[in-house]
Amino acid sequence: MTTDLDRSTVEEAYARWAPIYDVVFGAVFEPGRKAALQAAERIGGRILEFGVGTGFALPNYKRTNRLVGVDISEPMLQKARERVEKEKLDHVEGLCLMDGAHMGFADNSFDVVMAQFVITVVPHPEETLDEMARVLKPGGEIILVNHLGAEDGPRAAFEKWFARRARKLGWRPEFQFARLHNWALKNGTVDMPIKRDVALGMYTMVRFRKRSEAEIAGATEPVALAG
């Protein structure tokens, strides 16, 4: 029996989470969120907040940036719209209901694609990453922050056991860094990912830099992203 996620499972799970998401996860995710925001601000510009959810992170961006948020959950997006209106977040260009594997943006539309605590729970991670790379400008970065599954040992065994039970919550706890590394090799338009533990190892920040056409044409394989 498959233990993977499908769109209906994710939509149903996050419709349930929407009313209480900020209370349950706001403080828990804050250290990882701060690290990812700092990385994004070093680049700045037009930023795609993928899996924007309730818009919890939107007020923390500098107003010199331009933000677009997308999510698969309409109840989550409604919370985000209320936040944008209440806090007068005029640097938010729009909030869109979209399937991450089929985004309606032109190629090379964003300087940064940010995905906080979301890539491990989307129905089709590799296809979604392909779309993130497509809409990212050369020289820009995909920035992910997530709990990633252990490679081996007792925690890996527990995450594998817990995986099927976690699906009703919309989670994929056994998702490992190797899956992101393998995607970069296959996609071919990004440098090899760099990862850094944040929040005392609770979460991992993973960054991919998109290469230019000249870099792609002149290199046989992606190289490691510097620091």
Side-chain angles (χ1 to χ4, degrees), residues 17-181:
W17 281 120
I20 59 172
Y21 189 87
D22 291 355
V23 173
V24 174
F25 295 113
V28 173
F29 287 164
E30 188 62 17
R33 185 179 291 112
K34 283 184 177 180
L37 283 169
Q38 288 172 359
E41 293 285 7
R42 284 197 291 269
I43 303 170
R46 192 167 189 239
I47 299 174
L48 176 63
E49 260 276 347
F50 181 86
V52 66
T54 64
F56 194 88
L58 295 177
N60 297 321
Y61 285 96
K62 293 178 182 177
R63 298 302 176 97
T64 52
N65 298 307
R66 291 168 295 138
L67 307 178
V68 177
V70 301
D71 207 282
I72 200 174
S73 170
E74 178 59 34
M76 286 284 202
L77 281 173
Q78 184 56 42
K79 292 287 185 181
R81 295 185 190 107
E82 293 169 4
R83 188 187 302 276
V84 167
E85 182 177 359
K86 179 179 179 181
E87 301 192 32
K88 296 180 171 57
L89 303 180
D90 54 9
H91 60 325
V92 177
E93 289 184 1
L95 298 169
C96 311
L97 183 68
M98 285 188 185
D99 180 346
H102 304 92
M103 289 192 283
F105 301 116
D107 295 355
N108 308 324
S109 292
F110 297 96
D111 299 286
V112 179
V113 177
M114 170 76 86
Q116 302 181 56
F117 307 101
V118 66
I119 197 61
T120 63
V121 302
V122 296
H124 307 290
E126 285 78 13
E127 290 89 339
T128 298
L129 286 163
D130 284 340
E131 278 290 273
M132 290 181 181
R134 181 185 67 78
V135 303
L136 182 67
K137 296 177 183 178
E141 290 188 14
I142 298 170
I143 301 172
L144 314 178
V145 62
N146 257 102
H147 165 81
L148 294 179
E151 301 291 332
D152 51 34
R155 183 161 72 89
F158 170 78
E159 288 166 345
K160 185 176 181 181
W161 171 83
F162 184 55
R164 289 175 63 181
R165 294 156 180 82
R167 292 305 182 258
K168 290 183 179 180
L169 300 173
W171 297 344
R172 192 190 274 114
E174 78 287 4
F175 192 106
Q176 298 175 346
F177 174 74
R179 192 162 177 179
L180 300 174
H181 181 273

Side-chain angles (χ1 to χ4, degrees), residues 181-209:
H181 181 273
N182 292 339
W183 168 77
L185 284 173
K186 183 176 180 181
N187 176 269
T189 69
V190 297
D191 289 332
M192 294 308 297
I194 183 170
K195 66 175 180 175
R196 176 166 69 87
D197 287 340
V198 294
L200 301 177
M202 289 177 59
Y203 310 119
T204 301
M205 183 169 66
V206 182
R207 294 163 44 217
F208 305 85
R209 173 186 168 274

